[in-house]
Amino acid sequence: MKAWLLLVLALAANAAEPDSRRSGRDTMSPALRTLQADDDQHPAQLALALGREQWREGSRSCASCHGEPERLRGAAARYPDWDQGILDLPGRIQRCRVRHQHQPAWKPEAEPLLALAALVAQQSRGLPLLPQRGIELDEAAVRGQRLYTTRIGALNLSCAQCHDERAGLRLGGSLIPQAHVDDYPVYRLEWQSLGSLQRRLRGCLSGVRATVWDWDSAELLALQTYLARRSAGMAMQPPGVRP
């Protein structure tokens, strides 16, 4: 309730100013926007089907605790969250798998992990991103903002230089998006698979020839926390489709 109140107050304070934020899907070609909007043609449909199979798998299945996936509408909108550490949505699924299903954690970007993350995220389509708040999350968001604006790598570039200063320009034939996170996980045609936000961020680090942070590192989770707040209030449409 507190988070909702904060969002309402923030929106009211900015009511006189039009929201200039644009989802990454708004920068795509009409063909890709149509592909994302059509569940029958969506390239992640096989992953979503796998997610539903995984949902019911085993004696301690996701369904045995949560019922049908549709009951988790709104859950994905809250992440990253805090539970003895910062968790993104795949991290929460991993935590449930280890703690409650008594199964070993999957490797990062494992197909069943991404399938479940996409299935859970899909239930929040049309809802606004509403990342949680708290002392630890606030501190992580501040650190994430510093990371976002800090030049790194051999190319000496920051996230902000591409996604704030050059948003809307072209790089390699594609429009540079504003780096909002309302559609993750996404199916990237470049990858020919689903991928998490962490995968995308690690790809950016590699692209500027910087040291690539470890999966679930404090840096990646802090940057995700900041990006989620930067995208707060934007309508979710996961899983996304990107070039």
Side-chain angles (χ1 to χ4, degrees):
M1 185 65 180
K2 184 178 179 181
W4 277 104
L5 180 59
L6 288 170
L7 177 59
V8 169
L9 291 174
L11 291 175
N14 294 315
E17 299 180 8
D19 192 345
S20 61
R21 297 178 302 173
R22 296 183 67 199
S23 170
R25 63 182 173 273
D26 295 333
T27 68
M28 296 189 303
S29 68
L32 285 184
R33 289 200 298 271
T34 299
L35 194 62
Q36 177 167 336
D38 188 340
D39 287 342
D40 291 333
Q41 298 186 61
H42 201 296
Q45 61 178 310
L46 293 179
L48 291 166
L50 173 62
R52 287 195 175 270
E53 292 177 8
Q54 197 70 42
W55 185 262
R56 296 177 175 82
E57 185 174 284
S59 58
R60 295 173 179 263
S61 66
C62 306
S64 66
C65 279
H66 301 291
E68 293 301 312
E70 289 76 11
R71 292 185 61 187
L72 290 186
R73 181 163 174 78
R78 302 196 305 263
Y79 287 88
D81 201 353
W82 178 267
D83 183 3
Q84 299 178 346
I86 297 174
L87 292 175
D88 57 10
L89 180 58
R92 170 61 72 189
I93 293 170
Q94 293 274 48
R95 179 75 59 85
C96 285
R97 178 171 170 80
V98 172
R99 281 187 177 178
H100 303 300
Q101 297 181 329
H102 302 160
Q103 296 292 323
W106 285 302
K107 292 181 179 180
E109 303 297 288
E111 187 177 20
L113 173 60
L114 290 171
L116 278 173
L119 178 66
V120 173
Q122 186 187 44
Q123 309 316 310
S124 295
R125 277 183 174 178
L127 295 181
L129 272 170
L130 197 64
Q132 297 296 285
R133 292 184 176 270
I135 294 174
E136 297 89 354
L137 290 166
D138 292 346
E139 291 174 349
V142 170
R143 183 183 184 191
Q145 185 174 19
R146 286 199 301 267
L147 292 169
Y148 184 83
T149 57
T150 299
R151 293 172 178 260
I152 56 174
L155 299 187
N156 195 33
L157 289 172
S158 69
C159 308
Q161 285 179 284
C162 275
H163 298 291
D164 290 349
E165 297 173 17
R166 293 174 174 81
L169 301 180
R170 289 193 174 274
L171 179 65
S174 298
L175 285 175
I176 300 173
Q178 294 179 353
H180 294 299
V181 296
D182 43 323
D183 286 356
Y184 279 87
V186 301
Y187 187 101
R188 288 187 67 88
L189 302 183
E190 174 190 357
W191 299 336
Q192 288 294 292
S193 68
L194 275 175
S196 68
L197 178 55
Q198 288 202 28
R199 179 177 180 182
R200 187 70 193 98
L201 295 176
R202 283 166 54 91
C204 285
L205 290 166
S206 177
V208 299
R209 301 175 192 170
T211 299
V212 177
W213 301 323
D214 292 337
W215 296 102
D216 294 315
S217 63
E219 292 87 354
L220 280 176
L221 292 169
L223 186 52
Q224 285 189 95
T225 302
Y226 169 67
L227 291 174
R229 294 193 179 189
R230 186 170 167 271
S231 305
M234 299 181 72
M236 301 176 65
Q237 290 294 332
V241 179
R242 298 294 185 269

